[in-house]
Amino acid sequence: MYALNGKWKISIISSICCFGKRRFSDILNDVEGISNRMLSKELKELEINQLVKRTILDTQPITVQYELTEHGNTLQTIISNLAEWGVVHRNKITGKKVESIETSCNEKIDV
Amino acid sequence: MYALNGKWKISIISSICCFGKRRFSDILNDVEGISNRMLSKELKELEINQLVKRTILDTQPITVQYELTEHGNTLQTIISNLAEWGVVHRNKITGKKVESIETSCNEKIDV
DNA sequence: CTGAATCCAGATGGATACTG
DNA sequence: CAGTATCCATCTGGATTCAG
């Protein structure tokens, strides 16, 4: 089941989960290299899949806040596992030893 | 870290892990809808990433056997988790209740 | 049987400009 | 600020054919 396709979904989820709530432009900065066009599209898909919740704040100018739904949170464990495996894998492939594994929310996830 | 991109990798790994060892044409049958071109390509990538091991059997005509490497096996847990989450997710989205979750190796994984 | 080669349609995604 | 629209290059993957 890949409601997770697209190049950025995991990074986006990580960004949001890391802060709890996050604005559009914040995510735009967090996720290196993504364009607003893509971010908009991916967020929309995540919203349709009920993984993130979108809230329009009545500020001036308007801001929009994104947060993980309860359901989205159930993904965190899996993403952590993936990230952890990814680290081990990278080291395996590049032939380095695994010194330490950190999978805090702040860690950048390579895609 | 996506050494897992491509439409079929997870299905292929599932097929192999399910039987331990699997020939090219067997996988071709297991994974519904894949073409030999894709299977060939995806297997090659998996091999490069040291997730599967390729063995040429000296039969007539030649057959090739694929099996998961030790490293590939470490992915099984994660894939199971993903599959399990996928089932829950599907039911969530379609609004059905989750009756039971089976994540045996025989289960088909929807991609 | 395994798998490489070619052809080609459609999806993906970057850059940029524009709107409310 | 948040998003949409357009243009366009590249990537993906299916069908088919060929080769060892």
Side-chain angles (χ1 to χ4, degrees):
Chain A
M1 274 282 298
Y2 274 14
L4 296 179
N5 57 18
K7 199 171 163 183
W8 307 100
K9 296 231 170 51
I10 291 183
S11 303
I12 293 173
I13 291 176
S14 297
S15 164
I16 298 176
C17 102
C18 189
F19 295 93
K21 308 186 174 191
R22 207 72 177 138
R23 289 182 311 141
F24 187 88
S25 50
D26 292 331
I27 304 176
L28 206 52
N29 289 325
D30 293 343
V31 181
E32 211 161 336
I34 196 172
S35 64
N36 57 352
R37 176 182 172 286
M38 272 301 117
L39 180 54
S40 175
K41 195 180 127 200
E42 303 270 63
L43 279 171
K44 198 177 293 178
E45 290 173 19
L46 289 172
E47 197 190 349
I48 289 174
N49 280 295
Q50 302 173 30
L51 297 176
V52 305
K53 180 166 152 238
R54 182 173 180 271
T55 315
I56 300 177
L57 301 181
D58 196 10
T59 53
Q60 189 49 249
I62 252 177
T63 57
V64 182
Q65 193 171 77
Y66 292 89
E67 55 193 311
L68 291 189
T69 61
E70 200 181 324
H71 184 219
N73 273 308
T74 64
L75 257 180
Q76 278 196 48
T77 318
I78 293 177
I79 291 180
S80 294
N81 288 340
L82 265 172
E84 188 174 330
W85 186 87
V87 174
V88 177
H89 177 67
R90 176 196 292 285
N91 290 328
K92 182 104 182 178
I93 295 301
T94 57
K96 290 176 195 163
K97 266 194 253 169
V98 180
E99 300 291 349
S100 67
I101 300 175
E102 278 187 64
T103 40
S104 81
C105 217
N106 282 310
E107 163 186 35
K108 294 204 184 273
I109 296 185
D110 303 307
V111 182
Chain B
M1 273 281 299
Y2 273 13
L4 294 178
N5 58 18
K7 198 171 162 183
W8 308 100
K9 295 232 172 47
I10 291 183
S11 303
I12 293 172
I13 291 176
S14 297
S15 164
I16 298 176
C17 101
C18 189
F19 295 93
K21 308 186 175 188
R22 208 71 178 140
R23 290 181 312 141
F24 187 87
S25 49
D26 291 331
I27 305 176
L28 205 51
N29 288 325
D30 292 344
V31 182
E32 211 161 336
I34 196 173
S35 64
N36 60 349
R37 177 184 172 285
M38 272 301 116
L39 180 54
S40 176
K41 194 180 126 202
E42 303 270 64
L43 279 171
K44 196 178 294 177
E45 290 174 18
L46 289 173
E47 197 191 349
I48 289 174
N49 280 297
Q50 302 172 32
L51 297 176
V52 305
K53 181 167 152 240
R54 181 172 181 272
T55 315
I56 300 177
L57 301 182
D58 195 11
T59 52
Q60 189 48 249
I62 252 176
T63 57
V64 182
Q65 193 171 76
Y66 293 89
E67 55 193 310
L68 291 189
T69 62
E70 201 180 323
H71 183 218
N73 273 308
T74 65
L75 256 180
Q76 278 195 46
T77 318
I78 293 176
I79 290 181
S80 294
N81 288 340
L82 265 173
E84 189 174 329
W85 186 87
V87 173
V88 177
H89 177 67
R90 176 197 291 285
N91 289 328
K92 182 103 180 178
I93 295 302
T94 57
K96 290 177 195 164
K97 265 193 254 170
V98 179
E99 299 290 348
S100 66
I101 300 175
E102 277 186 64
T103 40
S104 79
C105 217
N106 283 309
E107 164 184 36
K108 293 202 184 276
I109 296 185
D110 302 308
V111 182

PDB file of all heavy atoms in Angstrom, chain A residues 81-98:
ATOM      1  N   ASN A  81      11.851   2.854  11.762  1.00  0.00           N
ATOM      2  CA  ASN A  81      12.485   1.595  11.403  1.00  0.00           C
ATOM      3  C   ASN A  81      13.159   1.692  10.050  1.00  0.00           C
ATOM      4  O   ASN A  81      14.293   1.250   9.872  1.00  0.00           O
ATOM      5  CB  ASN A  81      11.449   0.470  11.357  1.00  0.00           C
ATOM      6  CG  ASN A  81      10.984   0.080  12.730  1.00  0.00           C
ATOM      7  OD1 ASN A  81      11.658   0.357  13.723  1.00  0.00           O
ATOM      8  ND2 ASN A  81       9.827  -0.537  12.812  1.00  0.00           N
ATOM      9  N   LEU A  82      12.451   2.287   9.118  1.00  0.00           N
ATOM     10  CA  LEU A  82      13.007   2.458   7.781  1.00  0.00           C
ATOM     11  C   LEU A  82      14.279   3.279   7.832  1.00  0.00           C
ATOM     12  O   LEU A  82      15.290   2.930   7.234  1.00  0.00           O
ATOM     13  CB  LEU A  82      11.985   3.155   6.880  1.00  0.00           C
ATOM     14  CG  LEU A  82      11.100   2.271   6.027  1.00  0.00           C
ATOM     15  CD1 LEU A  82      10.022   3.079   5.344  1.00  0.00           C
ATOM     16  CD2 LEU A  82      11.931   1.529   4.999  1.00  0.00           C
ATOM     17  N   ALA A  83      14.217   4.370   8.577  1.00  0.00           N
ATOM     18  CA  ALA A  83      15.373   5.256   8.676  1.00  0.00           C
ATOM     19  C   ALA A  83      16.556   4.503   9.277  1.00  0.00           C
ATOM     20  O   ALA A  83      17.678   4.576   8.777  1.00  0.00           O
ATOM     21  CB  ALA A  83      15.030   6.467   9.533  1.00  0.00           C
ATOM     22  N   GLU A  84      16.264   3.762  10.324  1.00  0.00           N
ATOM     23  CA  GLU A  84      17.308   3.001  11.006  1.00  0.00           C
ATOM     24  C   GLU A  84      17.932   1.988  10.052  1.00  0.00           C
ATOM     25  O   GLU A  84      19.153   1.883   9.925  1.00  0.00           O
ATOM     26  CB  GLU A  84      16.687   2.285  12.208  1.00  0.00           C
ATOM     27  CG  GLU A  84      17.686   1.626  13.114  1.00  0.00           C
ATOM     28  CD  GLU A  84      16.981   1.063  14.350  1.00  0.00           C
ATOM     29  OE1 GLU A  84      15.951   1.641  14.752  1.00  0.00           O
ATOM     30  OE2 GLU A  84      17.456   0.057  14.880  1.00  0.00           O
ATOM     31  N   TRP A  85      17.049   1.273   9.353  1.00  0.00           N
ATOM     32  CA  TRP A  85      17.537   0.286   8.398  1.00  0.00           C
ATOM     33  C   TRP A  85      18.365   0.983   7.320  1.00  0.00           C
ATOM     34  O   TRP A  85      19.407   0.486   6.897  1.00  0.00           O
ATOM     35  CB  TRP A  85      16.366  -0.448   7.756  1.00  0.00           C
ATOM     36  CG  TRP A  85      16.806  -1.559   6.867  1.00  0.00           C
ATOM     37  CD1 TRP A  85      17.068  -2.847   7.232  1.00  0.00           C
ATOM     38  CD2 TRP A  85      17.072  -1.476   5.469  1.00  0.00           C
ATOM     39  NE1 TRP A  85      17.475  -3.559   6.137  1.00  0.00           N
ATOM     40  CE2 TRP A  85      17.483  -2.750   5.039  1.00  0.00           C
ATOM     41  CE3 TRP A  85      16.991  -0.451   4.522  1.00  0.00           C
ATOM     42  CZ2 TRP A  85      17.819  -3.024   3.709  1.00  0.00           C
ATOM     43  CZ3 TRP A  85      17.337  -0.722   3.212  1.00  0.00           C
ATOM     44  CH2 TRP A  85      17.737  -2.004   2.822  1.00  0.00           C
ATOM     45  N   GLY A  86      17.889   2.149   6.895  1.00  0.00           N
ATOM     46  CA  GLY A  86      18.592   2.895   5.874  1.00  0.00           C
ATOM     47  C   GLY A  86      20.015   3.221   6.273  1.00  0.00           C
ATOM     48  O   GLY A  86      20.936   3.107   5.473  1.00  0.00           O
ATOM     49  N   VAL A  87      20.192   3.612   7.521  1.00  0.00           N
ATOM     50  CA  VAL A  87      21.524   3.947   8.015  1.00  0.00           C
ATOM     51  C   VAL A  87      22.435   2.726   7.960  1.00  0.00           C
ATOM     52  O   VAL A  87      23.544   2.766   7.431  1.00  0.00           O
ATOM     53  CB  VAL A  87      21.457   4.468   9.470  1.00  0.00           C
ATOM     54  CG1 VAL A  87      22.853   4.674  10.015  1.00  0.00           C
ATOM     55  CG2 VAL A  87      20.676   5.770   9.518  1.00  0.00           C
ATOM     56  N   VAL A  88      21.921   1.623   8.493  1.00  0.00           N
ATOM     57  CA  VAL A  88      22.690   0.391   8.468  1.00  0.00           C
ATOM     58  C   VAL A  88      23.018   0.005   7.032  1.00  0.00           C
ATOM     59  O   VAL A  88      24.147  -0.348   6.697  1.00  0.00           O
ATOM     60  CB  VAL A  88      21.907  -0.761   9.145  1.00  0.00           C
ATOM     61  CG1 VAL A  88      22.684  -2.066   9.054  1.00  0.00           C
ATOM     62  CG2 VAL A  88      21.622  -0.416  10.590  1.00  0.00           C
ATOM     63  N   HIS A  89      22.011   0.125   6.207  1.00  0.00           N
ATOM     64  CA  HIS A  89      22.180  -0.255   4.808  1.00  0.00           C
ATOM     65  C   HIS A  89      23.257   0.578   4.122  1.00  0.00           C
ATOM     66  O   HIS A  89      24.138   0.056   3.459  1.00  0.00           O
ATOM     67  CB  HIS A  89      20.851  -0.087   4.061  1.00  0.00           C
ATOM     68  CG  HIS A  89      20.956  -0.397   2.604  1.00  0.00           C
ATOM     69  ND1 HIS A  89      21.205  -1.658   2.129  1.00  0.00           N
ATOM     70  CD2 HIS A  89      20.866   0.395   1.506  1.00  0.00           C
ATOM     71  CE1 HIS A  89      21.251  -1.639   0.806  1.00  0.00           C
ATOM     72  NE2 HIS A  89      21.053  -0.398   0.400  1.00  0.00           N
ATOM     73  N   ARG A  90      23.179   1.874   4.314  1.00  0.00           N
ATOM     74  CA  ARG A  90      24.162   2.753   3.700  1.00  0.00           C
ATOM     75  C   ARG A  90      25.573   2.357   4.107  1.00  0.00           C
ATOM     76  O   ARG A  90      26.471   2.241   3.274  1.00  0.00           O
ATOM     77  CB  ARG A  90      23.915   4.198   4.114  1.00  0.00           C
ATOM     78  CG  ARG A  90      24.983   5.148   3.567  1.00  0.00           C
ATOM     79  CD  ARG A  90      24.958   6.473   4.266  1.00  0.00           C
ATOM     80  NE  ARG A  90      23.756   7.244   3.979  1.00  0.00           N
ATOM     81  CZ  ARG A  90      23.563   7.872   2.823  1.00  0.00           C
ATOM     82  NH1 ARG A  90      24.465   7.796   1.872  1.00  0.00           N
ATOM     83  NH2 ARG A  90      22.462   8.568   2.629  1.00  0.00           N
ATOM     84  N   ASN A  91      25.731   2.099   5.388  1.00  0.00           N
ATOM     85  CA  ASN A  91      27.046   1.732   5.867  1.00  0.00           C
ATOM     86  C   ASN A  91      27.492   0.388   5.300  1.00  0.00           C
ATOM     87  O   ASN A  91      28.650   0.192   4.967  1.00  0.00           O
ATOM     88  CB  ASN A  91      27.060   1.680   7.397  1.00  0.00           C
ATOM     89  CG  ASN A  91      26.952   3.068   7.987  1.00  0.00           C
ATOM     90  OD1 ASN A  91      27.438   4.030   7.399  1.00  0.00           O
ATOM     91  ND2 ASN A  91      26.306   3.178   9.135  1.00  0.00           N
ATOM     92  N   LYS A  92      26.536  -0.499   5.191  1.00  0.00           N
ATOM     93  CA  LYS A  92      26.821  -1.804   4.610  1.00  0.00           C
ATOM     94  C   LYS A  92      27.335  -1.638   3.182  1.00  0.00           C
ATOM     95  O   LYS A  92      28.360  -2.205   2.797  1.00  0.00           O
ATOM     96  CB  LYS A  92      25.526  -2.629   4.577  1.00  0.00           C
ATOM     97  CG  LYS A  92      25.680  -4.021   4.036  1.00  0.00           C
ATOM     98  CD  LYS A  92      25.672  -5.010   5.165  1.00  0.00           C
ATOM     99  CE  LYS A  92      25.861  -6.424   4.675  1.00  0.00           C
ATOM    100  NZ  LYS A  92      25.904  -7.357   5.808  1.00  0.00           N
ATOM    101  N   ILE A  93      26.629  -0.855   2.416  1.00  0.00           N
ATOM    102  CA  ILE A  93      26.973  -0.690   1.008  1.00  0.00           C
ATOM    103  C   ILE A  93      28.286   0.049   0.836  1.00  0.00           C
ATOM    104  O   ILE A  93      29.118  -0.313   0.014  1.00  0.00           O
ATOM    105  CB  ILE A  93      25.849   0.069   0.263  1.00  0.00           C
ATOM    106  CG1 ILE A  93      24.575  -0.770   0.266  1.00  0.00           C
ATOM    107  CG2 ILE A  93      26.256   0.382  -1.159  1.00  0.00           C
ATOM    108  CD1 ILE A  93      24.724  -2.125  -0.378  1.00  0.00           C
ATOM    109  N   THR A  94      28.465   1.087   1.627  1.00  0.00           N
ATOM    110  CA  THR A  94      29.687   1.860   1.478  1.00  0.00           C
ATOM    111  C   THR A  94      30.850   1.202   2.212  1.00  0.00           C
ATOM    112  O   THR A  94      31.971   1.669   2.155  1.00  0.00           O
ATOM    113  CB  THR A  94      29.508   3.291   2.022  1.00  0.00           C
ATOM    114  OG1 THR A  94      29.099   3.219   3.383  1.00  0.00           O
ATOM    115  CG2 THR A  94      28.460   4.036   1.230  1.00  0.00           C
ATOM    116  N   GLY A  95      30.547   0.121   2.906  1.00  0.00           N
ATOM    117  CA  GLY A  95      31.617  -0.655   3.531  1.00  0.00           C
ATOM    118  C   GLY A  95      32.118  -0.111   4.850  1.00  0.00           C
ATOM    119  O   GLY A  95      33.105  -0.573   5.388  1.00  0.00           O
ATOM    120  N   LYS A  96      31.394   0.878   5.382  1.00  0.00           N
ATOM    121  CA  LYS A  96      31.823   1.418   6.663  1.00  0.00           C
ATOM    122  C   LYS A  96      31.186   0.658   7.819  1.00  0.00           C
ATOM    123  O   LYS A  96      30.190  -0.021   7.665  1.00  0.00           O
ATOM    124  CB  LYS A  96      31.423   2.895   6.768  1.00  0.00           C
ATOM    125  CG  LYS A  96      32.220   3.795   5.846  1.00  0.00           C
ATOM    126  CD  LYS A  96      31.684   5.208   5.944  1.00  0.00           C
ATOM    127  CE  LYS A  96      32.205   6.063   4.784  1.00  0.00           C
ATOM    128  NZ  LYS A  96      31.413   7.284   4.625  1.00  0.00           N
ATOM    129  N   LYS A  97      31.772   0.837   8.966  1.00  0.00           N
ATOM    130  CA  LYS A  97      31.192   0.225  10.150  1.00  0.00           C
ATOM    131  C   LYS A  97      30.109   1.131  10.717  1.00  0.00           C
ATOM    132  O   LYS A  97      30.163   2.352  10.570  1.00  0.00           O
ATOM    133  CB  LYS A  97      32.265   0.007  11.223  1.00  0.00           C
ATOM    134  CG  LYS A  97      32.883  -1.390  11.172  1.00  0.00           C
ATOM    135  CD  LYS A  97      33.666  -1.669  12.423  1.00  0.00           C
ATOM    136  CE  LYS A  97      35.153  -1.632  12.133  1.00  0.00           C
ATOM    137  NZ  LYS A  97      35.966  -1.635  13.350  1.00  0.00           N
ATOM    138  N   VAL A  98      29.164   0.511  11.381  1.00  0.00           N
ATOM    139  CA  VAL A  98      28.125   1.292  12.018  1.00  0.00           C
ATOM    140  C   VAL A  98      28.606   1.720  13.394  1.00  0.00           C
ATOM    141  O   VAL A  98      28.868   0.891  14.258  1.00  0.00           O
ATOM    142  CB  VAL A  98      26.832   0.467  12.175  1.00  0.00           C
ATOM    143  CG1 VAL A  98      25.761   1.300  12.851  1.00  0.00           C
ATOM    144  CG2 VAL A  98      26.363  -0.029  10.838  1.00  0.00           C
TER     145      VAL A  98
END
